[in-house]
Amino acid sequence: ESMGSVAGNPSPTWVSFSSAADKQGAGAFLEPAIDSGAAFYFTIATTAAYALEPAPERAPQIEVDPESRLSGTQKTPVLLVEDNPVNQTVAQFMLKQLGYEFKIANNGAEAIEALRETAYALVLMDIEMPIMDGISAAQAIRIEWQTPNYPYIIALTAYAMAGDRERCINAGMQDYITKPLRMQDLQTALQRGENSLFLEQDLLPRNRPNLPQENPMILDQSILDGFLQMAGPEVAAALLHELLEAYAEDVPQRLVAIERAIAQSDPEALRQAAHALRSGSINLGAVQVGQLCRELEQMGKSGSTTGAQALYQQLPLAVGQTIGALKSTYQNLQLAAV
């Protein structure tokens, strides 16, 4: 149903084909008994078409004057990544009391989008969140953001178990504080972050883990190149940009579906969810993601979810690496077109 409208201004002598046929028989359709035309217009309401716009440049780093930072008159803006409304309220209150400007992201996926829009240098990252948790988000940020735009990430966690701090640091975070939040702990952690950013002029955080070397098996470039060659050089970059945005938008819900199937010990749901992610990934040449999904899909087919969690934990990083490799390809296409 179009949900639109139709109107017009017919001639006084206009007769519709249907009424003419009723009066004169089927021949009226061949020789209409009208001697003048009629003007009509109509509107149709449809879903807006997706308008591909050029990929935005990397968001500029927020500039903070070093002297004002040392004097305490200007604070580095903070990205607060937290899904719990109560915890958001508590953190907002403390940040306001400490004089920080901030933006809130409700999960890791929103945090990544916020960083793409504005290069926040300080990030407060909750660990347990829906869509994309803090560990997965930190791993993805570690892949996508490199010197000098790599943010200083402070983990926020309700747990204080042995190994948690190491897990956060290994994922790409630089600091770690536990809940319930205490004003002094938060202030100290943020000050450590600001000092680190100020002392290292290239904004490389201290204790930043080494970036993993590019794995040639993350992306089978020949698959992607073959597809882009069919598109032609004039539209290859725009097409890859559209595919990349669609993939980045689709992946979070696929990961959630896989995680839910594992949590519910539902082999069939696991098979379907893994297949859906694998299907979109292999078309882009994402062989690492495709292989992990294939193993999860086979588990589901066998009627079991045993061991699926260990495989699933590798997926967010593999997806982040894939998106990073696709972005590199897109940038190369843009440069080649200049």
Side-chain angles (χ1 to χ4, degrees):
E1 185 178 0
S2 72
M3 302 299 293
S5 60
V6 61
N9 185 25
S11 164
T13 61
W14 179 82
V15 179
S16 71
F17 279 177
S18 59
S19 60
D22 290 342
K23 295 178 180 179
Q24 303 176 30
F29 285 98
L30 300 176
E31 298 183 14
I34 56 177
D35 56 8
S36 61
F40 289 89
Y41 65 87
F42 65 91
T43 61
I44 300 176
T46 66
T47 302
Y50 174 76
L52 180 64
E53 298 181 357
E57 298 292 330
R58 172 63 64 208
Q61 187 75 23
I62 298 175
E63 297 294 335
V64 178
D65 180 65
E67 292 185 4
S68 64
R69 178 188 284 150
L70 286 178
S71 66
T73 59
Q74 185 178 3
K75 302 291 183 67
T76 303
V78 175
L79 177 62
L80 170 62
V81 190
E82 170 65 67
D83 67 304
N84 186 290
V86 174
N87 294 339
Q88 286 181 357
T89 302
V90 172
Q92 286 182 74
F93 172 78
M94 291 186 180
L95 288 170
K96 288 178 181 177
Q97 290 293 105
L98 293 172
Y100 286 92
E101 295 183 358
F102 58 90
K103 178 177 180 176
I104 296 177
N106 293 292
N107 54 62
E110 288 188 13
I112 291 173
E113 288 303 314
L115 285 169
R116 287 172 180 161
E117 295 174 1
T118 305
Y120 291 92
L122 288 177
V123 178
L124 293 172
M125 181 77 75
D126 186 27
I127 302 301
E128 298 292 334
M129 294 180 290
I131 310 298
M132 179 181 282
D133 61 39
I135 294 295
S136 300
Q139 290 171 336
I141 291 169
R142 183 176 66 179
I143 297 301
E144 182 168 342
W145 278 268
Q146 302 183 18
T147 307
N149 294 318
Y150 190 83
Y152 188 98
I153 306 176
I154 302 168
L156 305 176
T157 177
Y159 305 103
M161 300 176 64
D164 281 352
R165 183 181 183 88
E166 290 72 20
R167 188 165 68 105
C168 292
I169 297 300
N170 289 337
M173 305 185 194
Q174 288 74 41
D175 212 334
Y176 173 99
I177 53 179
T178 58
K179 299 174 184 176
L181 283 182
R182 295 175 174 82
M183 183 79 78
Q184 185 59 51
D185 292 343
L186 180 60
Q187 182 178 28
T188 301
L190 289 170
Q191 189 60 59
R192 279 196 297 263
E194 290 198 279
N195 289 342
S196 175
L197 297 172
F198 173 68
L199 292 173
E200 301 185 31
Q201 294 299 318
D202 63 355
L203 298 183
L204 177 64
R206 60 184 178 85
N207 298 329
R208 179 175 180 264
N210 292 327
L211 288 172
Q213 298 298 313
E214 184 175 352
N215 182 348
M217 292 306 296
I218 291 171
L219 191 68
D220 186 340
Q221 195 69 42
S222 65
I223 295 176
L224 189 60
D225 287 347
F227 182 73
L228 294 175
Q229 285 172 6
M230 287 192 295
E234 297 81 10
V235 298
L239 177 60
L240 180 55
H241 175 224
E242 186 173 4
L243 290 171
L244 179 55
E245 286 198 335
Y247 186 70
E249 182 178 348
D250 181 65
V251 162
Q253 60 183 322
R254 303 301 181 189
L255 292 176
V256 168
I258 293 173
E259 186 176 28
R260 184 185 299 118
I262 295 172
Q264 296 176 350
S265 299
D266 188 338
E268 177 58 21
L270 175 62
R271 183 197 67 77
Q272 293 179 7
H275 175 79
L277 179 55
R278 184 171 74 91
S279 177
S281 299
I282 60 177
N283 281 331
L284 293 175
V287 291
Q288 187 180 33
V289 174
Q291 179 59 34
L292 289 170
C293 289
R294 183 177 181 277
E295 294 182 44
L296 289 169
E297 188 177 355
Q298 290 297 327
M299 283 185 180
K301 283 184 178 179
S302 69
S304 173
T305 60
T306 303
Q309 184 63 32
L311 282 172
Y312 170 76
Q313 288 175 348
Q314 302 176 52
L315 267 177
L317 178 57
V319 166
Q321 291 173 327
T322 297
I323 291 176
L326 289 169
K327 285 189 172 183
S328 295
T329 301
Y330 171 70
Q331 291 167 357
N332 291 337
L333 288 172
Q334 280 190 311
L335 291 174
V338 175

